[in-house]
């Protein structure tokens, strides 16, 4: 008994060719019938006779009607063709036809775009509309995700729109009540993910960047963690940005605890140091003219040391406040010349006692700045003191001022030992001191950290240029008062507007997707 071959299953892709063939045949047949009926009616009515001209005219009319109707057919039934093509694509049937792109302009014009998008979205959500077991790729992805969750390293992946498409269990990410994913990291001038991504988008194809000591909370808050982060950027990739986070809390946290203890001790020392400085001033007045040259030099050294100790105490207390985002100050109109005059004698005394030549020149027409005088005097003191300490015997230290756009720039230049690039890149980190400076020069390692904090709290920036063996130049800027006067008056002269990037430095992205 012969086995009857089974009919192959119907395919979605076969519908449109069959429908098109049948439709074209019907159009031609109907047009032939209609044209012949009209011609026959004209002959029977005696309007015309069946001459050669009559048949030529009839055939021409038939050809024109068929052409017009086929053109209309092609235009009106194009959506059906696209719909069949889209369904063929999402069904998984093999086909050489390119699926319609819902973002094509003509789909937006005729309103067919939402229909195509719905088909593709439903297929993506429901597994192309047909229940099936997870394929090998999905299983591999699940295994990889599980493996990454079991590591001690955090991973965050962003797509080309900045949307978080993956974050493992150790990544500092949470989803808020509105479904938005938030990367729980404090943003400041050193770690600013949005600014880095913008820079990458404008200038890079592939690049990497490393950040150190990035915190998720301010010191003192429960659950504070510190990370070293490596950011990888590959333009146009589905995983355009990959952040790899190494938790270093155990390494960095002791330094924060040390600072808390030092700040407490510094606060207790502040009173006695003030008394010592006061007694030295009184003693200097009482003994004026009664001391020989060596005793006068000794008194000068005592005054310099007492002032330096007082400066260290103030630096420590300010660093502690800055870490907690409490370095809020009031900015008023002031001149750099007058601010420097308040410390001029002390700076000249320090330079003279260490055999350095200190030259300070601020142009007479230098605009006034928005500043807290005491804080900026501390900045100048720190930078000049460093220049003196790291200069060579008999070396010159030059302090100058100039206008740069809406800012006044102050430069402190020395011609001393200079620094290699590896030192410069870490210079403004808290407690950082190079091996050479630890061996040759005393200090706490937070002077430049708090200097940077003060400058940024004024809305300015600080930078350094250095060549090993030739010297260093530190430059910082302060806003010209007239450029920020209205903003300050509206905020009771507070610097809140200048430090909002530190107060509210949270990085927000779109909804998180976990594969």
């Amino acid at each position: 008994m012969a086995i009857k071959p089974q009919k192959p299953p119907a395919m979605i892709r076969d519908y449109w060719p069959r429908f098109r063939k049948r439709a074209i045949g019907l159009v031609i047949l109907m047009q032939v019938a209609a044209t012949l009926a009209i011609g026959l009616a004209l002959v029977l009515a005696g309007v015309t006779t069946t001459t050669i001209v009559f048949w030529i005219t009839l055939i021409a009319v038939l050809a024109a009607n068929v052409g017009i109707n086929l053109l209309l057919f092609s235009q009106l039934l194009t959506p059906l063709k696209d719909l069949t093509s889209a369904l063929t694509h999402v069904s998984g049937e093999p086909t050489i036809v390119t699926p319609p792109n819902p973002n094509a302009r003509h789909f937006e014009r005729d309103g067919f775009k939402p229909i195509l998008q719905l088909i593709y979205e439903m297929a993506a959500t429901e597994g192309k509309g047909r229940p099936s077991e997870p394929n090998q790729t999905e299983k591999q992805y699940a295994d990889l995700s599980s493996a990454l969750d079991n590591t001690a390293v955090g991973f965050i992946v962003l797509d080309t729109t900045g949307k978080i498409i993956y974050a493992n269990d150790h990544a500092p990410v949470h989803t808020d009540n509105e479904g938005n994913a938030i990367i729980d990291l404090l943003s400041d001038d050193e770690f600013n993910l949005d600014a880095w991504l913008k820079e990458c988008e404008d200038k890079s194809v592939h690049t990497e960047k490393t950040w150190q000591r990035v915190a998720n909370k301010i010191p003192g808050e429960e659950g504070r963690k510190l990370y070293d982060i490596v950011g990888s950027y590959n333009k146009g990739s589905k995983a355009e940005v990959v952040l790899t986070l190494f938790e270093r809390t155990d390494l960095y946290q002791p330094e924060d605890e040390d600072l808390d203890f030092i700040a407490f001790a510094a606060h207790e020392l502040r009173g006695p140091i003030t008394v010592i400085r006061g007694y030295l001033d009184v003693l200097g007045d009482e003994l004026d003219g009664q001391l020989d040259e060596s005793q006068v030099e000794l008194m000068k050294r005592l005054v310099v040391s007492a002032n330096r100790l007082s400066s260290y105490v103030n630096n420590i207390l300010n660093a502690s406040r800055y870490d907690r985002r409490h370095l809020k100050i009031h900015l008023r109109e002031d001149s750099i010349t007058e601010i420097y005059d308040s410390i001029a004698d002390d700076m000249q005394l320090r330079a003279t006692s260490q055999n350095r030549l200190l030259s300070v020149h601020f142009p007479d027409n230098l605009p006034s700045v928005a500043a807290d005088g005491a804080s900026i005097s501390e900045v100048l003191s720190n930078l000049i003191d460093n220049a003196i300490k790291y200069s060579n015997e008999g070396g010159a230290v030059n302090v100058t001022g100039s206008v740069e756009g809406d800012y006044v720039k102050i430069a402190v230049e020395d011609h001393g030992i200079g620094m290699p690039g590896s030192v410069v890149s870490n210079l403004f980190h808290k407690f950082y001191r190079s091996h050479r400076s630890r061996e040759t020069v005393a200090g706490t390692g937070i002077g430049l950290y708090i200097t940077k904090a003060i400058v940024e709290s004024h809305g300015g920036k600080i930078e350094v240029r250095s060549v090993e063996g030739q010297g260093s130049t530190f430059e910082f800027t302060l806003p010209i008062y007239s450029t920020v006067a209205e903003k300050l008056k509206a905020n009771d002269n507070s610097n809140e507007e200048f430090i909002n990037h530190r107060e509210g430095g949270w990085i927000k992205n779109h909804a998180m997707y976990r594969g």
Side-chain angles (χ1 to χ4, degrees):
M1 180 178 176
I3 299 175
K4 185 178 180 180
Q6 293 184 348
K7 187 177 180 180
M11 304 287 283
I12 297 176
R13 68 181 184 185
D14 296 332
Y15 172 75
W16 172 251
R18 288 200 304 267
F19 174 82
R20 181 172 179 272
K21 186 184 297 183
R22 187 168 61 251
I24 291 176
L26 287 173
V27 167
I28 294 175
L29 181 61
M30 292 299 296
Q31 286 302 310
V32 170
T35 303
L36 289 176
I38 293 172
L40 182 59
L42 291 174
V43 171
L44 293 177
V47 176
T48 185
T49 58
T50 55
T51 62
I52 294 178
V53 175
F54 168 78
W55 289 111
I56 292 175
T57 303
L58 195 64
I59 292 172
V61 171
L62 174 61
N65 284 339
V66 169
I68 292 172
N69 279 276
L70 288 178
L71 181 62
L72 289 174
F73 165 81
S74 175
Q75 292 296 319
L76 295 176
L77 294 183
T78 295
L80 180 59
K81 175 186 176 183
D82 293 329
L83 186 61
T84 305
S85 178
L87 291 172
T88 301
H89 172 69
V90 300
S91 70
E93 292 181 1
T95 178
I96 62 173
V97 178
T98 302
N101 180 3
N103 294 318
R105 188 171 299 176
H106 63 277
F107 289 138
E108 295 182 357
R109 288 199 302 265
D110 62 20
F112 198 62
K113 177 179 179 178
I115 298 174
L116 289 175
Q117 285 182 325
L118 179 61
I119 292 173
Y120 292 143
E121 289 171 3
M122 289 178 65
T125 303
E126 302 296 334
K128 299 183 179 179
R130 298 181 180 181
S132 61
E133 294 296 323
N135 59 33
Q136 186 64 25
T137 301
E138 291 170 338
K139 290 180 179 178
Q140 290 175 346
Y141 181 85
D143 291 342
L144 177 60
S145 179
S146 177
L148 293 179
D149 285 340
N150 289 328
T151 67
V153 180
F155 293 95
I156 302 173
V157 182
L158 289 75
D159 65 11
T160 55
T161 66
K163 176 182 177 181
I164 298 177
I165 57 175
Y166 177 79
N168 73 338
D169 288 347
H170 289 277
V173 173
H174 77 273
T175 304
D176 62 16
N177 294 332
E178 299 178 355
N180 298 316
I182 299 176
I183 301 179
D184 296 329
L185 295 172
L186 288 174
S187 177
D188 55 22
D189 281 350
E190 290 189 17
F191 177 73
N192 189 321
L193 185 59
D194 290 335
W196 180 65
L197 293 178
K198 181 64 169 62
E199 181 181 356
C200 290
E201 184 179 342
D202 294 340
K203 301 178 181 179
S204 302
V205 175
H206 171 72
T207 187
E208 287 190 349
K209 186 174 179 64
T210 301
W211 298 274
Q212 294 181 319
R213 301 181 66 108
V214 180
N216 66 332
K217 296 180 180 180
I218 64 175
E221 287 192 5
E222 186 177 355
R224 185 172 191 256
K225 295 181 179 180
L226 295 154
Y227 299 90
D228 287 343
I229 302 175
V230 177
S232 300
Y233 176 84
N234 288 282
K235 194 178 189 68
S237 171
K238 290 183 179 179
E240 189 170 71
V241 179
V242 178
L243 300 179
T244 307
L245 302 97
F246 304 90
E247 188 184 341
R248 296 288 186 259
T249 306
D250 292 341
L251 177 64
Y252 296 136
Q253 188 65 31
E255 292 185 356
D256 292 329
E257 294 173 354
D258 290 344
L259 183 58
D260 287 340
F261 173 78
I262 294 172
F264 173 78
H267 188 271
E268 295 301 312
L269 288 171
R270 203 173 194 178
I273 292 173
T274 302
V275 173
I276 291 172
R277 293 179 64 189
Y279 280 136
L280 285 173
D281 290 340
V282 172
L283 191 59
D285 292 339
E286 291 290 332
L287 298 178
D288 187 28
Q290 302 179 37
L291 303 177
D292 60 31
E293 186 175 341
S294 62
Q295 291 171 330
V296 169
E297 181 63 27
L298 178 61
M299 285 295 297
K300 287 181 178 179
R301 290 182 180 275
L302 287 173
V303 170
V304 169
S305 296
N307 289 338
R308 183 173 298 165
L309 183 58
S310 178
S311 177
Y312 287 159
V313 168
N314 288 333
N315 281 345
I316 292 167
L317 294 174
N318 278 334
S320 178
R321 289 195 292 269
Y322 181 63
D323 265 3
R324 285 156 177 77
R325 310 305 197 263
H326 292 159
L327 191 53
K328 298 177 183 178
I329 52 181
H330 284 80
L331 308 180
R332 295 180 174 81
E333 185 173 11
D334 210 335
S335 75
I336 290 296
T337 301
E338 291 179 0
I339 292 174
Y340 177 74
D341 284 345
S342 66
I343 60 169
D345 292 342
D346 189 28
M347 294 297 99
Q348 197 61 53
L349 186 58
R350 293 188 194 186
T352 302
S353 65
Q354 297 189 48
N355 193 26
R356 306 291 194 269
L357 301 176
L358 176 61
S359 170
V360 180
H361 175 68
F362 298 125
D364 294 335
N365 61 348
L366 205 61
S368 59
V369 294
D372 173 76
S375 297
I376 297 304
S377 67
E378 186 175 348
V379 169
L380 288 168
S381 177
N382 283 341
L383 295 180
I384 295 173
D385 192 41
N386 278 346
I388 290 172
K389 287 190 295 186
Y390 292 101
S391 292
N392 298 316
E393 182 77 13
V397 175
N398 301 314
V399 183
T400 57
S402 60
V403 175
E404 188 176 87
D406 291 337
Y407 295 85
V408 168
K409 176 188 284 187
I410 310 301
V412 179
E413 178 187 21
D414 69 69
H415 304 279
I417 63 176
M419 295 173 286
S422 59
V423 173
V424 172
S425 61
N426 293 291
L427 203 56
F428 295 103
H429 290 172
K430 181 172 54 182
F431 291 118
Y432 176 79
R433 304 193 71 224
S434 68
H435 292 290
R436 183 169 59 177
S437 65
R438 284 200 298 268
E439 294 171 357
T440 58
V441 180
T444 62
I446 62 171
L448 289 176
Y449 173 76
I450 191 58
T451 294
K452 180 174 183 287
I454 292 173
V455 171
E456 290 179 351
S457 296
H458 280 69
K461 292 185 178 180
I462 186 168
E463 56 187 18
V464 58
R465 302 190 308 275
S466 186
V467 178
E468 191 169 10
Q470 298 183 26
S472 305
T473 300
F474 285 83
E475 296 177 335
F476 69 94
T477 59
L478 296 172
I480 295 173
Y481 181 78
S482 60
T483 65
V484 295
E486 294 301 322
K487 183 185 293 185
L488 288 174
K489 290 175 182 177
N491 290 277
D492 194 26
N493 288 331
S494 170
N495 70 330
E496 290 278 352
E497 288 294 320
F498 299 107
I499 60 175
N500 274 345
H501 66 284
R502 293 186 60 85
E503 293 291 332
W506 298 97
I507 306 165
K508 298 183 178 179
N509 288 292
H510 303 290
M512 182 177 69
Y513 170 75
R514 292 297 299 272

